[in-house]
Structures are given as C-alpha cells and as structure tokens.
Amino acid sequence: FYWAHRVARLGIGPRALPVDLITADILTDRLDAALGDPVIRRRAATLGPLIAARNGADAAVDEIERLAS
C-alpha cells in the first residue's frame, strides 16, 4: 500500500485502493487512467529518467551496510 500511495502522491498513477475493494472493472478503469491521463503521462515521463538513473540495488546495499555497522 505504501508504494501505491507514493505513486499517487507523485502524480504518476491513480489513487490507491485496498486490495479487497478491487474488481476487474475498477482495475481496468485504473489502468486506463494510468495509461491515458495526459497529466499522469507527462509526470511519469518527467520522473522516469530520474528513477531509471538511480541504482536502487546499490543504494539498498549501502543502506543495509550502514545500518549493520
């Protein structure tokens, strides 16, 4: 739920729902919004390269090693 909430706050996807409320129709609507909404598409296009440039695995290892020492 954290990441779904984060995606919505960053404006790169629709608002999150609890999994027990999701139906095929709701999921279809959410996917249509994520793929078709011009605001979401622009925001995702802006953030995509920034996210891709970060090596999450290396950052995670560094953080784990920092916490372990």
Side-chain angles (χ1 to χ4, degrees):
F1 186 78
Y2 170 81
W3 288 112
H5 177 71
R6 188 77 178 125
V7 163
R9 289 211 20 128
L10 288 171
I12 57 175
R15 185 176 55 86
L17 286 176
V19 71
D20 56 329
L21 296 180
I22 295 175
T23 65
D25 289 337
I26 290 172
L27 184 57
T28 299
D29 289 344
R30 297 296 172 115
L31 287 170
D32 285 343
L35 296 173
D37 184 303
V39 174
I40 290 174
R41 290 176 63 91
R42 276 194 305 275
R43 186 74 178 139
T46 300
L47 288 176
L50 299 172
I51 294 167
R54 182 175 173 161
N55 186 335
D58 284 346
V61 168
D62 290 345
E63 183 65 15
I64 291 167
E65 287 177 344
R66 185 187 70 77
L67 291 170
S69 23

